Amino acid sequence: MPAASLLPLFGSAVGPGALGGPAGGGAGGGGRKAAGPGAFRLTEKFVLLLVFSAFITLCFGAIFFLPDSSKLLSGVFFHSAALQPPPPPPGGQPRAPPQPGGGPVAAAAAAGGAGSLERIRADHERALREAKETLQKLPEEIRRDIRQDKEKLLQDARGRKEAGGPGLPQRLFRQPVGAVGQEPSDPAVRQKRDKIKEMMKHAWDNYKRYAWGLNELKPISKQGHSSNLFGNIQGATIVDALDTLYIMEMKEEFKEAKEWVEKNLDFNVNAEISVFEVNIRFVGGLLSAYYLSGEEVFRKKAVELGEKLLPAFNTPTGIPWALLNIKSGIGRNWPWASGGSSILAEFGTLHLEFVHLSHLSGNPVFAEKVMNIRKVLNRLDKPEGLYPNYLNPSSGQWGQHHVSIGGLGDSFYEYLLKAWLMTDKTDEEGKKMYYDAVQAIETHLIRKSSGGLTYIAEWKGGLLEHKMGHLTCFAGGMFALGADGAPNDRTGHHIELGAEIARTCHESYDRTSMKLGPEAFRFDGGVEAIATRQNEKYYILRPEVIETYMYMWRLTHDPKYRQWGWEAVEALEKHCRVDGGYSGIRDVYNNHESHDDVQQSFFLSETLKYLYLLFSEDDLLPFEHWVFNTEAHPLPVLHKDDGNKEDDQK
Ligand code: DMJ
């Protein structure tokens, strides 16, 4: 805007008192003319200076309010170039290969871009309005406003300090039941548990030695490993390991991890992250660390991170984006996902953490976001009662009809059940959705091989692919955990289903040379529970089979589950342990190890924790008082008789 057009505004606001001229229309201008340009008085000079500084500020403001040109360009010019290479093999979900097309993804990205243009325009208009208002004020008024703003900031800072965090209500911490347990009474079991603790120490010490503060460890090359799932948020292994260190009573290590979190865990970074991975590992890890230890820093960081994730829900349906830039708040979906869709296992695996974020922050917004996901899902027709893995966040319609209880689908089902359990069995909607889904899974996906092994196949538009992923093996534990509430007297049936899945998954381990399970195994072409494709023969230290052993042990006390767990310990020690930590294996059917050189953070948060619990007494993190998020981070059950006052007392 030209400076001249601002002058009349200014002249009428300053008034006669300021300029010493006659009152009346145009007095300010008249006064300036009479004095002549070379003879400005001090007040006039000050006023002119003010006008020009406002003008310069506006020009700079306009530059900053302009949208990020690279984003605009990619939205406008690169519609058909939205295909990007898929992210490298993930810690969590397996990623589907890139698909041709990519138009819907670009459209989705463009939708996000249109939203942000709107925001930018609104910001710009607001800034102009504010600048105009400021120009109409007397210098004394401006000085007073600045003073008041300063005081308010100081007051807010004082208030935050007293409350213990940014806007967090004060909260009396009481440690929930079972944060610590007894020593196992049987010396042989104690010895095994000690061995597992020693494994944790080996994994932790090497991470500390070679990759401290980075996300993961490369145990062969002895350096840090970074995955793009966390953008440039750092310290995934530290946050993922906190609660395992706590329950194993590795106090020194827990203390150093806490200090790192206090000093270094930083979410004010320009990073595009996976909402799902950051939620299950970082938010989940911080929440558990808080509930176990009562250290405020974990509550504060969890809520801070939760707030950073909220813009992911800014889609037409409220189904969140898979990827989010936590600085700009711009989201998008994986370029390979069918029709620009969000992924069931990703947006369906936020519920437990977000309910706890609301509980700990007093801010209902987190719970509202995840309850809305339920609402959207409940409005949709489900093919044969099944949930496809892809849902478009803009149209609210399913993408490709691919159903899986393994990658892309898995933890959505887990969270329905656990939402019900975590609310002390009051979340009836979650309960119904879970048991209805299991019914459909049993009818359409669960099959028995000719050799008598029960498996869960994948469903593609009505056709079955007789393949089961390592990830799917978690379902044995889930069926057993949900057995108690199963409708129509089917408790025994659900426990049996869990036991059968556990047996099948054990077979998938037992039929390899290394006694460690492949990423996926098949029941066709004359094989049962064996991987037939080279790219499905790897093992990346995943926990799901051991997770199922742990649930089956707790719920049946059948000693075979501890025996199978111990077989896994021996195999891990023999094939995955190296000087610099633990590594995944490229081919579990080979007699010689080819290491992948990654110590996944979930090895410390899940695999070792479930093993430790398998050899602990049932009083450590008992199921009546805790549920595990999908990364094995324990969250307390919100007991109804406590109201929303407090958690259980010891
Ligand atoms: C973990 O990150 C979580 O368990 C997730 O739900 C899927 N799988 C990986 C470990 O295999």
Side-chain angles (χ1 to χ4, degrees):
M1 182 182 291
S5 65
L6 289 172
L7 285 174
L9 251 180
F10 169 75
S12 64
V14 172
L19 292 176
R32 199 163 46 242
K33 261 188 205 141
F40 285 146
R41 272 178 287 164
L42 191 62
T43 338
E44 287 173 318
K45 281 182 188 163
F46 173 70
V47 163
L48 270 176
L49 196 68
L50 212 61
V51 170
F52 276 106
S53 35
F55 174 65
I56 301 290
T57 312
L58 270 178
C59 294
F60 272 102
I63 290 168
F64 287 117
F65 288 128
L66 280 177
D68 176 345
S69 55
S70 63
K71 295 254 161 44
L72 268 188
L73 285 179
S74 63
V76 174
F77 295 124
F78 302 143
H79 267 223
S80 58
L83 263 189
Q84 292 170 15
Q93 305 301 318
R95 302 296 172 211
Q99 294 174 358
V105 176
S116 59
L117 272 179
E118 270 308 310
R119 253 200 328 274
I120 290 160
R121 194 171 303 121
D123 280 351
H124 201 159
E125 279 164 6
R126 201 189 55 235
L128 277 174
R129 232 185 2 262
E130 283 172 8
K132 277 184 187 171
E133 282 163 16
T134 305
L135 284 171
Q136 285 168 343
K137 286 181 182 170
L138 292 170
E140 185 42 45
E141 285 177 313
I142 296 174
R143 270 197 293 276
R144 192 198 55 215
D145 287 355
I146 293 173
R147 240 188 348 261
Q148 281 175 352
D149 281 353
K150 265 191 188 164
E151 269 163 26
K152 188 166 177 313
L153 277 174
L154 277 173
Q155 257 172 21
D156 286 355
R158 268 198 299 272
R160 273 201 301 274
K161 210 169 168 199
E162 277 157 22
L168 288 184
Q170 281 195 336
R171 183 172 191 278
L172 179 64
F173 174 74
R174 296 192 193 142
Q175 196 177 45
V177 177
V180 284
Q182 312 276 322
E183 280 270 285
S185 49
D186 178 342
V189 174
R190 211 159 50 230
Q191 212 181 2
K192 291 193 163 102
R193 196 172 84 142
D194 287 347
K195 171 67 196 167
I196 295 156
K197 183 168 170 178
E198 186 279 327
M199 293 167 75
M200 178 70 182
K201 190 146 175 51
H202 182 67
W204 177 261
D205 285 349
N206 280 292
Y207 165 75
K208 191 176 151 193
R209 188 168 308 132
Y210 300 117
W212 184 244
L214 302 173
N215 278 327
E216 288 170 321
L217 163 70
K218 283 162 96 64
I220 307 283
S221 39
K222 299 184 174 168
Q223 57 183 358
H225 169 73
S226 58
S227 140
N228 62 356
L229 298 171
F230 317 118
N232 50 3
I233 297 182
Q234 294 296 332
T237 295
I238 298 179
V239 179
D240 236 2
L242 277 163
D243 50 15
T244 309
L245 295 172
Y246 189 94
I247 65 162
M248 290 187 180
E249 299 180 50
M250 295 172 67
K251 297 196 173 136
E252 259 312 297
E253 290 84 351
F254 182 81
K255 190 166 156 262
E256 65 201 4
K258 187 198 114 189
E259 281 166 9
W260 186 90
V261 168
E262 256 160 2
K263 293 196 192 112
N264 302 295
L265 185 60
D266 184 11
F267 306 127
N268 294 313
V269 287
N270 186 358
E272 187 180 60
I273 50 102
S274 153
V275 174
F276 161 78
E277 295 288 355
V278 165
N279 176 60
I280 65 170
R281 301 192 203 206
F282 283 87
V283 178
L286 291 165
L287 288 172
S288 293
Y290 169 71
Y291 280 117
L292 290 168
S293 71
E295 296 285 355
E296 269 296 319
V297 61
F298 299 129
R299 177 167 79 121
K300 193 180 127 225
K301 292 274 181 192
V303 175
E304 185 191 335
L305 181 54
E307 283 167 357
K308 294 262 176 203
L309 298 183
L310 287 174
F313 294 83
N314 293 339
T315 65
T317 55
I319 295 291
W321 299 112
L323 298 166
L324 176 74
N325 182 309
I326 54 171
K327 182 155 189 246
S328 67
I330 292 177
R332 65 181 177 115
N333 274 336
W334 296 107
W336 48 258
S338 160
S341 293
S342 302
I343 306 291
L344 184 68
E346 298 199 325
F347 66 76
T349 310
L350 304 166
H351 197 101
L352 304 183
E353 295 82 359
F354 274 53
V355 166
H356 269 288
L357 285 175
S358 281
H359 182 69
L360 289 185
S361 67
N363 184 350
V365 68
F366 302 103
E368 284 163 10
K369 297 287 180 200
V370 289
M371 289 313 289
N372 175 60
I373 296 178
R374 287 254 188 100
K375 218 190 270 165
V376 174
L377 288 174
N378 280 328
R379 275 202 300 259
L380 282 166
D381 279 341
K382 279 133 220 116
E384 309 287 354
L386 296 166
Y387 290 83
N389 291 336
Y390 301 103
L391 180 62
N392 189 299
S394 302
S395 67
Q397 298 303 312
W398 300 117
Q400 197 188 328
H401 282 195
H402 173 205
V403 178
S404 156
I405 315 306
L408 308 179
D410 49 9
S411 38
F412 161 70
Y413 305 96
E414 176 186 355
Y415 272 35
L416 292 177
L417 170 64
K418 290 180 177 175
W420 175 57
L421 297 175
M422 197 181 81
T423 53
D424 206 4
K425 304 191 175 171
T426 57
D427 179 357
E428 290 293 330
E429 183 182 56
K431 177 184 184 188
K432 177 166 176 9
M433 288 171 80
Y434 171 72
Y435 289 108
D436 286 354
V438 171
Q439 184 59 54
I441 290 165
E442 273 211 70
T443 311
H444 299 287
L445 271 63
I446 297 190
R447 295 289 178 267
K448 201 172 240 188
S449 71
S450 48
L453 293 178
T454 300
Y455 62 96
I456 312 178
E458 307 212 347
W459 192 87
K460 291 188 172 160
L463 295 177
L464 282 189
E465 188 179 8
H466 299 270
K467 158 186 136 175
M468 188 165 164
H470 192 288
L471 290 164
T472 321
C473 287
F474 90 96
M478 178 179 76
F479 293 142
L481 180 67
D484 208 20
N488 312 322
D489 290 335
R490 285 170 71 84
T491 297
H493 173 71
H494 279 223
I495 287 272
E496 190 44 38
L497 203 52
E500 286 179 24
I501 298 297
R503 183 162 82 95
T504 300
C505 292
H506 175 253
E507 284 303 312
S508 79
Y509 275 48
D510 208 42
R511 295 176 187 196
T512 70
S513 321
M514 294 190 183
K515 307 291 173 204
L516 290 167
E519 180 67 3
F521 43 93
R522 295 188 178 256
F523 296 85
D524 55 15
V527 302
E528 297 202 354
I530 290 181
T532 51
R533 303 187 183 180
Q534 195 51 40
N535 65 358
E536 293 174 348
K537 295 183 177 173
Y538 62 88
Y539 171 69
I540 56 167
L541 305 172
R542 286 199 192 277
E544 292 76 16
V545 177
I546 292 164
E547 174 181 351
T548 278
Y549 297 161
M550 191 280 290
Y551 280 102
M552 292 310 303
W553 162 256
R554 279 268 176 109
L555 295 161
T556 67
H557 284 168
D558 183 332
K560 75 171 174 247
Y561 297 114
R562 277 188 165 168
Q563 187 195 316
W564 290 353
W566 193 248
E567 286 170 14
V569 167
E570 288 176 328
L572 284 166
E573 286 299 274
K574 188 161 172 204
H575 301 291
C576 300
R577 186 173 180 134
V578 292
D579 281 352
Y582 288 86
S583 166
I585 298 281
R586 290 212 169 86
D587 182 353
V588 288
Y589 297 92
N590 205 312
N591 288 319
H592 301 287
E593 295 100 16
S594 168
H595 290 119
D596 69 4
D597 198 15
V598 183
Q599 179 176 286
Q600 305 278 348
S601 76
F602 55 67
F603 181 64
L604 293 89
S605 76
E606 294 193 74
T607 312
L608 292 175
K609 186 187 287 130
Y610 285 135
L611 279 170
Y612 189 78
L613 291 172
L614 179 61
F615 291 96
S616 294
E617 301 289 324
D618 297 354
D619 65 345
L620 180 58
L621 302 175
F623 292 169
E624 312 86 88
H625 294 284
W626 296 87
V627 293
F628 293 90
N629 90 338
T630 195
E631 188 79 359
H633 294 305
L635 300 170
V637 169
L638 299 167
H639 287 290
K640 47 181 176 251
D641 31 337
D642 293 338
N644 251 351
K645 274 192 293 104
E646 269 315 318
D647 309 310
D648 264 354
Q649 270 189 292
K650 239 175 153 181

